Amino acid sequence: MKTSPYPHLQQRDAKPVTVSDLARMKAEGEKIACLTAYDASFAALEDRAGVDVVLVGDSLGMVVQGNSTTVPVTVDDMVYHSRITAAGLSRAFLMTDLPFLSYGTKHDALETSRRLMGEGMAQMVKFEGGEIQADTIEHLSMRGVPVCAHIGLQPQLVHKMGGFKVQGRGDAAETMIRDAKLLEESGADVILLECVPSALGAEITANANVPVIGIGAGPDTDGQILVIYDILGLSPGRKPRFVKNYMDNADTLDAAVTEYVAEVKDGRYPGAEHAFS
């Protein structure tokens, strides 16, 4: 029998991925491959390529709707795109973003999560913020809502932060380390780190008992996530440093996504050229 160049497709369990599976993967040192998707067709492509976690990100505001930030995205937008993405999945775990100002209070966060999980078929919600979100995470977790805490660069705060910039340098590193631990203790099931120095990504990951997914956070996180349109070379404008175009050496979309998963799994992605110091 011909050997596949993508052993993760032969070895992976066909059963749906769960929160427990993500925790097991961290414990066993298996890298977690994640990508965004916004519809059933891309979801199905990613599912058959072996992606472990599919994120319906509010990044759709930029790559689908054509806005300059994620801020205009609404709860209705997220419910719609989450639902149609769920329709394309059979194995991958589905995570969906809470959009800007839809989780300003614990009540708002719970209601938005109810809609995204009930109407949008999400299995986990993700939202931005450090220490300020600890009480909200505890509130949701105690009511059975799986949560991914998003720290580092927070795109919804782009106007407050003054642009898309690397976070966690200098004294800010200690604050982010404390935030990560606090959010985990509050009930976060996963932590997403965006645009931080590799050394900080490694330290937070080593000290966390839950999976840490990185985007521009270096090679030592428990998993990696990118925007699907970015890895296929479809996003216009300047590409972030951490992006790799997998269509450069692929003949099909399936081959490109499958190669991305393989490179995450065996540690080839991200390379030093995709990381921050």
Side-chain angles (χ1 to χ4, degrees):
M1 183 177 70
K2 185 177 179 180
T3 301
S4 168
Y6 306 111
H8 65 280
L9 293 180
Q10 295 178 326
Q11 298 171 2
R12 65 183 175 88
D13 190 343
K15 295 186 298 184
V17 176
T18 67
V19 174
S20 297
D21 289 323
L22 300 179
R24 174 189 54 76
M25 292 169 74
K26 176 184 176 71
E28 295 178 356
E30 178 184 352
K31 295 290 188 179
I32 302 168
C34 315
L35 276 173
T36 68
Y38 315 101
D39 60 49
S41 294
F42 273 113
L45 187 161
E46 294 176 22
D47 201 78
R48 63 180 175 262
V51 172
D52 300 308
V53 177
V54 168
L55 169 66
V56 181
D58 59 357
S59 50
L60 68 87
M62 301 172 73
V63 299
V64 176
Q65 297 175 338
N67 300 311
S68 60
T69 73
T70 65
V71 171
V73 178
T74 67
V75 175
D76 285 343
D77 290 336
M78 296 307 300
V79 169
Y80 170 75
H81 283 278
S82 185
R83 184 175 69 252
I84 65 173
T85 299
L89 300 178
S90 61
R91 173 186 175 271
F93 186 79
L94 182 62
M95 180 194 304
T96 302
D97 272 337
L98 303 191
F100 182 61
L101 292 185
S102 69
Y103 51 99
T105 68
K106 291 186 288 187
H107 173 78
D108 289 344
L110 187 62
E111 174 59 17
T112 305
S113 298
R114 182 196 67 78
R115 289 200 62 197
L116 290 177
M117 295 185 72
E119 301 171 43
M121 308 301 289
Q123 296 167 291
M124 176 179 283
V125 300
K126 178 174 76 66
F127 52 93
E128 301 174 6
E131 180 180 3
I132 192 173
Q133 301 298 358
D135 287 345
T136 298
I137 290 174
E138 182 177 19
H139 186 73
L140 296 182
S141 181
M142 290 178 65
R143 286 156 180 80
V145 178
V147 174
C148 175
H150 182 156
I151 58 177
L153 175 63
Q154 298 168 46
Q156 292 178 7
L157 300 184
V158 60
H159 297 306
K160 184 76 169 177
M161 289 181 163
F164 297 98
K165 303 175 181 178
V166 177
Q167 304 296 308
R169 288 177 169 149
D171 294 341
E174 289 303 317
T175 299
M176 201 173 297
I177 291 169
R178 289 195 302 270
D179 282 353
K181 181 55 63 176
L182 176 60
L183 299 178
E184 177 187 328
E185 292 171 349
S186 298
D189 301 280
V190 175
I191 294 171
L192 189 143
L193 277 180
E194 181 167 359
C195 284
V196 302
S198 294
L200 178 58
E203 183 169 358
I204 289 176
T205 303
N207 290 324
N209 294 310
V210 298
V212 177
I213 308 300
I215 177 168
D220 297 314
T221 54
D222 298 306
Q224 301 291 332
I225 188 165
L226 287 174
V227 171
I228 181 64
Y229 293 157
D230 286 350
I231 75 163
L232 299 179
L234 298 175
S235 301
R238 180 176 175 270
K239 304 297 186 293
R241 175 172 180 162
F242 51 77
V243 169
K244 178 176 179 179
N245 184 348
Y246 281 86
M247 285 302 295
D248 284 344
N249 297 303
D251 295 327
T252 66
L253 299 182
D254 282 83
V257 176
T258 300
E259 181 63 14
Y260 164 75
V261 175
E263 288 200 357
V264 170
K265 291 290 185 181
D266 65 21
R268 283 177 289 154
Y269 176 83
E273 68 274 24
H274 307 117
F276 301 102
S277 59

